[in-house]
Amino acid sequence: MPTIRVFLERSAAQTPGAVAQTFRRGAAWVSHSYREFYDRVVLAAGAAAGLNVRPRLDRVALMLENGPQWQEIYLAHAGAGVAVVPLDPKLQLAEMVHILRDSQSSVVYLGAKLKDLVLAALPNLPRLRHVVLVGAPAAHEREEQGRAFWDYEELLSKAGRALAAAQAWFAGNLPETDDVASILYTSGTTGQPKGAMLSHGNFCANVESTLRAVPLYTSDNFFVVLPLFHAYSFTANFMVPIRLGARMSFAQSIRTVGEDIRDLCPSVLMAVPLMAEKMYEKIMPRIRSSFAARLLLALGLKRLVAKKVIAGLGGKLRFFGVGGAPCPPEVFRGFRRIGFPIIEGYGITECAPGVVYGSLDDYTPGYVGRLIPGMSLRIKDPDATGVGELQVKGPNVMLGYFNSPGMTAEAFDDGWFRTGDLCAMNPAGYIAIRGRRKALIVNREGKNIYPEEVEQCIARHPLVGDTIVIGYRTAGERGGERVGVIVTPNVEAVKAAHDGVEPPWPQIEVELREAVLRQCSEIAEFKRPRKIDVRRGSLDRTSTQKVRRVVYQHALDE
């Protein structure tokens, strides 16, 4: 099995002039070839050498927005055998401190606008030696609270002036397949984040399995909008393209996605369900209001409808992958009905992350797809309906949790990784994900309620914004739980239902409760919420837009 570094070196050697990265600089789009990309990685490696970063001993944290610097810094370190700890740049102080301290990071690269945040964190980070600011006005070395602060571009310039030394350091530090490439901290929907150690071999195995299961090619242009610190985007939008020698085109921001897609004309777009929903909400009204589109669909000519939709997305899109969280069934089926090239995938950080992929040509409603090549699975302790915990083995399964042998032991069951997700499998090998094992509600009659099923039912109502279904108990009650739900309104939809005027909050509460009850008439009586809590604003979510269940545990208890 190769290493991540080999992916880059092969592409730089075989297609040095091919475009690797396209990104916005000022008012223009700029591209780097694979040769230029590799040269920047070597300079970044020289910067690491100048900071006395020690391969296989030090951990280096990376807290940046998407961009070419993110990738070159990552490859300069992981490509030399240094474990990289990617962080969400939107983390709050306590979250940042936890990860940097738990990972024992000695260097952190972060956006210049986060300088005040890291200054506040320094007293709690005794192991942190260097802070490298990216995107700061040119500045020389300085100290703050006894730590060295550096400007990234200045470090690159310094490495360029001693290029032979940078090349020698990078050439002399080659990673092994089993070396830790990334320590990825889980998003923490059910508890405190912990660091999954993923090796070069884990990522490379997942990439090779992905390419056996999914039609992705060297000629593809990947649209990078999802954050690279997340395992899904990291593998799909970074590892796969550099393995292929394909192009990676960076969105300027989430606000400019529509404009950027039309400018960059990607062929591959990876999204989370929220992004897919937003696209669906914009596309479908236009189709419904078009007589020609409705006629084409009625005649079975959905490909012509899809072609028109794709034309508005740059004209070259041929693959739309959705992952990171469950995609609402009506959105997925709606895209399928108009011939849009969408597939869904299921993964988990600890598996680098792909586990189950759908297919463009073969779709079974209610099921994500089949297990990727190279992995094996078992369904542990299935109930009468065949639903049990999904447990897996494979070369993409993590080495363990950093500095946490106890949690690592708990994550495995006789060598099988415990995903914590409940699933069912049909005779054809298609896997349906039913929800998180820890989120399962067992009522007083011993019946299982899968919160995600109820959430999907409620979320279909246009007045509903966010929703989370949780179990709750009343005072003095023993045994199982009752079903409750917390919902927030879709304010724009509420206004639209009242001629553009937002009604008083008590009226919104009443209408939301009625909407929930109406939606839940579609499901079995024992699954229906007994308590409905209507709240203002939006629910607390992770970077992939999954609601943080841990925040709402016991929120409805009496």
Side-chain angles (χ1 to χ4, degrees), residues 67-98:
Q69 295 95 337
W70 200 107
Q71 295 183 324
E72 65 200 30
I73 293 168
Y74 180 89
L75 289 170
H77 292 82
V82 179
V84 180
V85 185
L87 282 80
D88 181 350
K90 295 182 177 62
L91 291 180
Q92 298 299 307
L93 177 62
E95 298 167 310
M96 173 189 181
V97 168
H98 168 72

Side-chain angles (χ1 to χ4, degrees), residues 39 228 301 342 542:
D39 289 344
L228 291 172
L301 300 174
I342 185 172
T542 70

Side-chain angles (χ1 to χ4, degrees), residues 241-360:
I242 65 168
R243 157 65 174 80
L244 292 170
R247 177 187 297 210
M248 298 164 284
S249 294
F250 290 90
Q252 298 176 75
S253 72
I254 194 68
R255 296 183 301 276
T256 61
V257 164
E259 173 189 341
D260 293 345
I261 286 179
R262 289 188 290 273
D263 284 348
L264 296 167
C265 304
S267 59
V268 176
L269 171 57
M270 302 295 182
V272 291
L274 183 62
M275 184 176 171
E277 287 182 67
K278 297 297 184 185
M279 291 176 61
Y280 185 76
E281 289 168 0
K282 288 184 177 181
I283 291 169
M284 293 311 295
R286 298 172 189 170
I287 291 176
R288 294 190 188 105
S289 63
S290 168
F291 173 77
R294 297 198 309 273
L295 178 61
L296 289 171
L297 290 174
L299 294 173
L301 300 174
K302 61 183 182 180
R303 288 185 179 179
L304 295 179
V305 177
K307 185 176 180 180
K308 182 70 173 178
V309 172
I310 291 168
L313 298 170
K316 295 184 178 179
L317 190 69
R318 60 166 200 82
F319 185 91
F320 183 44
V322 181
C327 185
E330 67 276 11
V331 172
F332 191 84
R333 288 195 292 264
F335 273 126
R336 282 271 179 171
R337 279 195 295 269
I338 65 169
F340 201 74
I342 185 172
I343 74 162
E344 189 173 14
Y346 160 80
I348 187 166
T349 298
E350 290 87 342
C351 292
V355 176
V356 177
Y357 294 155
S359 166
L360 289 174

Side-chain angles (χ1 to χ4, degrees), residues 349-411:
T349 298
E350 290 87 342
C351 292
V355 176
V356 177
Y357 294 155
S359 166
L360 289 174
D361 303 319
D362 191 6
Y363 167 60
T364 301
Y367 292 81
V368 177
R370 290 190 171 100
L371 191 72
I372 65 171
M375 294 197 80
S376 53
L377 71 81
R378 71 178 184 182
I379 299 176
K380 185 68 179 295
D381 299 329
D383 62 16
T385 66
V387 175
E389 184 186 25
L390 174 63
Q391 299 187 350
V392 296
K393 287 182 178 180
N396 54 314
V397 177
M398 69 168 183
L399 303 176
Y401 294 115
F402 179 73
N403 206 26
S404 301
M407 286 194 291
T408 298
E410 290 176 8

